[in-house]
Amino acid sequence: MQCQCIQHFGQPLASEQRPDMTPTGTEVILEVVAAGVCHTDLHMREGGVDLGRGERLNYADRGIKLPLTVGHETVGRVIAAGPDAGEIDMSRTYVVFPWCGCGDCELCRRGDENLCATPRYLGIHVDGGYATQLRIAHPRYLFDIGDMDPARAAPLACSGLTTFSALKKLEGSYFEQAPLLIGAGGLGLMCIRLLAALGAQAPVVADIDPAKRAAALEAGAVAVIDPADPEVLQQITHACGGRPPRAILDFVGAEATAKLAFDALPRNGKLVTVGLFGGAAPWSLPMITLKSVHIMGSYVGSLTEFAELIEIARTGAIDAIPSTLFPLEQAEETLNLLEAGKVLGRAVLSPAAR
Ligand SMILES: [Zn+2]
Ligand SMILES: [Zn+2]
């Protein structure tokens, strides 16, 4: 098998040849068909995330072992299964739930493996999908994609699930008005599609990049906003129907976007922060109290949410976000394109692409 892996943090991915995988116990081996490329993969290659205030989260200090094959948005076909894996339909194509936990603790047993204190996320703690083969610990992580195009199904494992889980934190009255989304990258575009699939109002979308704003309009945003505009807050209120947005999703997670989101939030509004760009919170503490706002984080999603999302996606209700296929061997170049902000929608690696 072949994989594109991190041998040293801060250096380009390296191509490695390894022996073919063999499963034990409940393990399943997949032949990779499509592997989505996510911003988190850039952080992995870099070896950490900026926490703001001069602090940094270093993956090496967090026990992430190298070499590591990144990639957590994987679609593949089962080529082998261990003796305890049970019955698996080998004729199907599966998208893999990558946010695996220990499987044993209380959180894991209720399906919240993504919140497990000893995570075994694919492409982060254990080898992921930038490879021709992928090992998963148990068949419960496999979800049949039905008739979906693999390049379209792969991003559901991260950008799809992340936005779905974030939207789940905003149900009810928060959807009575158009929400504001900040960032029209893979997550933002996916969110526009999901809002439509869930029958919610089309969002207002803010992004500094005119090409991304155009993509957001194309995807169904009701209006787009340039955060660099000096009258940005008035524009947001106007675009949201004359009232500030009660619900804001920040898919960037930078100091500038956190500030914009907080300033745009009315009393009792809710900000769900999803992006991991980096930095520290720029909010005034008294204003959090005075505005009685809700600020919460949302990281990936649960197995139950993933099952629900795949069911919706299989009906065809979620329009595909634009995706571009790249050969697996070009993983490093693809990461560089993403880093330079030159990927619209999702980049997907495919061992079969040339
Ligand atoms: Zn991701
Ligand atoms: Zn656990």
Side-chain angles (χ1 to χ4, degrees):
M1 65 156 289
Q2 199 235 322
C3 63
Q4 298 288 323
C5 63
I6 303 169
Q7 288 177 338
H8 305 280
F9 288 124
Q11 288 187 17
L13 298 184
S15 181
E16 281 189 16
Q17 289 290 333
R18 295 185 190 166
D20 280 346
M21 293 176 170
T22 47
T24 59
T26 59
E27 286 178 352
V28 179
I29 309 297
L30 301 182
E31 173 187 52
V32 176
V33 178
V37 176
C38 173
H39 257 277
T40 295
D41 303 337
L42 287 176
H43 292 307
M44 295 306 298
R45 186 180 66 171
E46 249 170 75
V49 180
D50 172 20
L51 296 177
R53 302 191 184 93
E55 289 168 36
R56 194 177 155 77
L57 188 159
N58 277 314
Y59 295 138
D61 303 339
R62 288 294 181 102
I64 304 268
K65 299 266 183 294
L66 301 181
L68 174 80
T69 304
V70 288
H72 49 267
E73 296 184 343
T74 320
V75 169
R77 293 187 200 98
V78 177
I79 50 171
D84 307 320
E87 195 93 338
I88 298 171
D89 187 344
M90 309 271 280
S91 71
R92 311 304 305 169
T93 303
Y94 297 96
V95 59
V96 180
F97 178 86
W99 315 109
C100 313
C102 68
D104 231 22
C105 70
E106 200 189 322
L107 285 159
C108 282
R109 272 179 300 189
R110 70 169 200 222
D112 291 328
E113 294 201 31
N114 56 310
L115 302 177
C116 177
T118 48
R120 293 194 291 225
Y121 300 164
L122 299 182
I124 291 172
H125 304 97
V126 300
D127 283 337
Y130 285 21
T132 52
Q133 293 181 359
L134 174 71
R135 179 193 308 275
I136 62 168
H138 194 277
R140 71 174 175 277
Y141 302 125
L142 295 177
F143 292 81
D144 183 351
I145 66 168
D147 301 330
M148 262 187 287
D149 172 4
R152 189 181 142 195
L156 293 173
C158 179
S159 61
L161 180 59
T162 299
T163 48
F164 189 63
S165 182
L167 286 174
K168 289 248 150 196
K169 295 169 173 87
L170 284 173
E171 280 175 321
S173 67
Y174 288 106
F175 280 147
E176 285 166 9
Q177 193 195 352
L180 172 68
L181 314 184
I182 302 178
L187 290 171
L189 294 185
M190 179 68 87
C191 190
I192 299 171
R193 305 294 213 211
L194 272 175
L195 283 164
L198 297 172
Q201 292 203 37
V204 172
V205 178
D207 198 295
I208 49 172
D209 179 348
K212 296 208 169 115
R213 290 200 296 274
L217 277 177
E218 176 94 356
V222 66
V224 288
I225 305 283
D226 178 2
D229 191 298
E231 305 218 309
V232 60
L233 293 179
Q234 291 91 316
Q235 289 212 2
I236 289 170
T237 300
H238 177 73
C240 292
R243 285 183 299 156
R246 286 203 63 225
I248 302 181
L249 293 122
D250 181 1
F251 291 117
V252 182
E255 293 186 14
T257 58
K259 180 172 185 334
L260 173 66
F262 187 81
D263 292 348
L265 214 55
R267 288 189 179 195
N268 208 233
K270 191 167 189 177
L271 163 62
V272 182
T273 184
V274 181
L276 288 168
F277 184 89
W283 308 311
S284 145
L285 295 177
M287 286 313 287
I288 296 178
T289 310
L290 292 169
K291 294 213 286 189
S292 289
V293 289
H294 307 263
I295 300 174
M296 74 178 298
S298 185
Y299 184 58
V300 299
S302 70
L303 259 177
T304 325
E305 286 168 337
F306 197 50
E308 204 180 324
L309 173 67
I310 299 304
E311 196 152 313
I312 297 170
R314 282 184 53 162
T315 67
I318 307 170
D319 278 347
I321 60 166
S323 59
T324 315
L325 276 185
F326 294 89
L328 174 63
E329 299 75 32
Q330 285 176 21
E332 172 65 17
E333 292 87 333
T334 310
L335 281 182
N336 293 339
L337 282 177
L338 183 67
E339 191 168 38
K342 288 186 180 146
V343 174
L344 272 186
R346 215 55 167 169
V348 177
L349 301 173
S350 159
R354 286 281 165 264

